[in-house]
Amino acid sequence: MQDILVRSATVNDIAHIMDIEHESFCENVHEDITVFRDRITTFPDGFLVLEVAGHVCGYISSEIWNYSENVREDMFYLGHSITSVHDATGSELYVSSIGILKKYRGKGYGKLLFSELSSKVTEKYNISSMILIVSVQWMPAKKIYESDGFRETKRIHGFFNDMANSDAIVMRKYL
Ligand SMILES: CC(C)(COP(=O)(O)OP(=O)(O)OC[C@H]1O[C@@H](n2cnc3c(N)ncnc32)[C@H](O)[C@@H]1OP(=O)(O)O)[C@@H](O)C(=O)NCCC(=O)NCCS
């Protein structure tokens, strides 16, 4: 049995987080180090890392938004700073990203991180819905969200700046 730990991230984890980010997303889709630093310092409860045998091999990050039924597209833009949108008194949890190092994928760690974040944040904050975007190409991620009860609310055509200019699916779950 592997030694598994899920804990809040600190800025000391940033190098590992960036390794995971670069392994998980292509060049035009991965986020800059400043975006991650702001996420950790602004909302540490919403940023978790997963350690296996003492090695950081996964992360998940989030923000709390004020609920709006029709979320503006620019709220999802890559590179936006958590500092401009996060409100700890808001009621919608936006899961901004999740990644697991390739060699640790397919072992249930992604699902574990996602459910740990959901329970940790919803216990402490006044959350009544969760929202996220996923590329049509990211099947394992989509599976995690669908099996957790998320449903598609809209598609943003050509949202991702990857080779295929992939569409984004906005998914939401009411608690
Ligand atoms: C998405 C990601 C974090 C999932 O992590 P993981 O630890 O591999 O996921 P899990 O092992 O918990 O599996 C989650 C689900 O995906 C399925 N899955 C795993 N690998 C798969 C694959 N290659 N193809 C299709 N489904 C797959 C699993 O069967 C499981 O579904 P199930 O519960 O119905 O069986 C990981 O694949 C990753 O880092 N991907 C790149 C970054 C990314 O796409 N992030 C999503 C941002 S929205």
Side-chain angles (χ1 to χ4, degrees):
M1 178 77 179
Q2 292 267 39
D3 177 13
I4 297 162
L5 172 70
V6 176
R7 60 168 174 82
S8 288
T10 76
V11 286
N12 297 329
D13 296 312
I14 207 93
H16 295 299
I17 290 166
M18 293 317 294
D19 287 345
I20 299 163
E21 178 73 0
H22 291 139
E23 223 181 85
S24 300
F25 300 101
C26 68
E27 196 179 338
N28 294 332
V29 174
H30 59 64
E31 294 278 17
D32 198 69
I33 191 165
T34 54
V35 169
F36 282 97
R37 240 192 233 115
D38 283 350
R39 286 179 185 171
I40 293 171
T41 53
T42 305
F43 186 32
D45 284 340
F47 201 135
L48 306 181
V49 291
L50 175 100
E51 284 184 17
V52 177
H55 184 61
V56 176
C57 60
Y59 81 82
I60 187 164
S61 59
S62 65
E63 312 173 350
I64 298 179
W65 290 354
N66 289 304
Y67 178 83
S68 160
E69 191 180 343
N70 296 305
V71 180
R72 293 190 332 262
E73 197 176 307
D74 60 275
M75 293 289 282
F76 300 109
Y77 284 175
L78 302 182
H80 81 258
S81 171
I82 183 173
T83 57
S84 60
V85 287
H86 180 73
D87 179 353
T89 66
S91 67
E92 184 148 81
L93 182 67
Y94 167 59
V95 181
S96 48
S97 192
I98 179 171
I100 301 278
L101 284 176
K102 279 183 184 156
K103 75 175 209 184
Y104 293 93
R105 288 183 195 161
K107 300 174 191 298
Y109 295 146
K111 250 187 162 168
L112 174 69
L113 258 184
F114 194 78
S115 69
E116 287 286 314
L117 179 86
S118 309
S119 50
K120 190 172 176 195
V121 176
T122 54
E123 268 166 27
K124 187 164 173 182
Y125 297 86
N126 193 24
I127 303 298
S128 47
S129 62
M130 294 174 65
I131 196 163
L132 51 84
I133 56 165
V134 60
S135 163
V136 289
Q137 315 263 5
W138 301 341
M139 293 316 289
K142 198 160 166 272
K143 265 192 171 175
I144 294 177
Y145 311 144
E146 278 168 350
S147 66
D148 194 54
F150 281 75
R151 295 291 170 257
E152 175 168 345
T153 61
K154 71 169 177 173
R155 278 186 189 224
I156 309 175
H157 184 65
F159 179 85
F160 289 99
N161 196 13
D162 56 9
M163 300 276 273
N165 252 330
S166 307
D167 292 352
I169 305 172
V170 178
M171 301 183 84
R172 185 179 247 156
K173 172 186 169 179
Y174 290 95
L175 307 180

